[in-house]
Amino acid sequence: IYTMTGVVSGAGYTTITMVGALTAAFGRIIIALILQNVTSLGLYSIGVAAIISPVIPVLIMLITILSGKWKISRIQKELDYL
């Protein structure tokens, strides 16, 4: 996850990495609350949520990398524009 985030962020797409980080942080809370109310895991729902929550940011980064959008650096596009 950190390598994919670094590639996307290094190419200048920091908004995508921010969305991934926020999704991981708030997703963990939401998943823990859902698991606590739906299942009988209790406090174990926090641990399960910590395991499940990185899946969404990984999918966001994977889609970005597989789309090839990161290969054209936003920084380079801005310099070419000038």
Side-chain angles (χ1 to χ4, degrees), residues 20-79:
L22 290 174
T23 304
F26 291 113
R28 182 175 298 156
I29 296 168
I30 294 168
I31 292 170
L33 289 173
I34 290 171
L35 287 175
Q36 183 180 10
N37 292 325
V38 173
T39 65
S40 61
L41 289 175
L43 287 176
Y44 290 112
S45 63
I46 297 171
V48 174
I51 294 170
I52 295 173
S53 65
V55 171
I56 298 169
V58 165
L59 290 176
I60 292 172
M61 295 304 148
L62 193 61
I63 290 168
T64 304
I65 289 174
L66 291 177
S67 71
K69 184 177 182 180
W70 65 276
K71 292 180 183 179
I72 303 169
S73 173
R74 287 184 66 187
I75 299 167
Q76 186 63 39
K77 282 197 285 188
E78 290 176 13
L79 289 175

